[in-house]
Amino acid sequence: MTPARVLPRKVVTPTILRQALFDTFSELMPQAQWRNPVRFVVYVGSSVSTTVQIPNFYALDAVTGNQIWAKDIGYRSSCFNVGIGSTPAISGTMIVVGADNLASNPAYNGISTIDGTKIWTNTMNVGASGFPWASALNYGNSTYVGIASRCDNP
């Protein structure tokens, strides 16, 4: 007796694909998120963090620890999901720090130590794979910086 021949079945059909797309987008509705408290908290948190600029660079009083000022110097969602890539370097009233953001791409920023005002931004013009990982070195009136590849992509 010969075994019955089984015909291959498609895993994804147009009907299944349409239903899956509908279900995916319907799950993004707040009403669907509310049914699962963990998903709802993540939903609200991600909505707030992508629409509200939250400071990521702070000046603190070295004696009391009180915040003097706070600024958002940028963030870009990428493979490492980082904004500030270097340790700040201070010279007089100038802080130099490397960061990556959507507005200026990989750049080093000169920031006032007094009030956090961004004095200058030097976009590195190194392409999509560059990132300011290296900490700046301030010497005299010059700042020396390095650049690295993002996502290990030289």
Side-chain angles (χ1 to χ4, degrees):
M1 181 170 179
T2 60
R5 184 172 170 204
V6 178
L7 297 174
R9 231 173 92 187
K10 287 186 176 181
V11 175
V12 178
T13 65
T15 304
I16 291 173
L17 187 59
R18 270 192 301 277
Q19 186 62 46
L21 286 172
F22 175 78
D23 290 345
T24 298
F25 287 104
S26 67
E27 287 295 317
L28 294 175
M29 301 296 293
Q31 296 85 350
Q33 296 291 324
W34 181 254
R35 291 189 299 249
N36 182 322
V38 173
R39 282 178 42 192
F40 183 72
V41 169
V42 170
Y43 179 79
V44 170
S46 62
S47 299
V48 169
S49 68
T50 56
T51 57
V52 176
Q53 287 189 338
I54 300 171
N56 62 352
F57 197 68
Y58 297 86
L60 305 175
D61 183 293
V63 176
T64 66
N66 293 333
Q67 180 178 310
I68 300 169
W69 51 259
K71 299 292 180 182
D72 175 25
I73 63 170
Y75 170 83
R76 177 196 303 257
S77 180
S78 66
C79 63
F80 292 123
N81 294 324
V82 295
I84 298 172
S86 71
T87 302
I90 301 171
S91 179
T93 59
M94 183 67 62
I95 304 169
V96 179
V97 63
D100 190 11
N101 64 59
L102 292 175
S104 63
N105 293 317
Y108 282 89
N109 303 283
I111 300 170
S112 166
T113 60
I114 298 166
D115 60 4
T117 302
K118 192 181 290 186
I119 307 299
W120 54 264
T121 297
N122 185 317
T123 303
M124 302 307 293
N125 296 320
V126 292
S129 70
F131 192 84
W133 287 117
S135 297
L137 170 65
N138 294 328
Y139 182 73
N141 290 331
S142 298
T143 297
Y144 300 90
V145 297
I147 201 79
S149 64
R150 177 195 337 247
C151 305
D152 294 327
N153 179 21

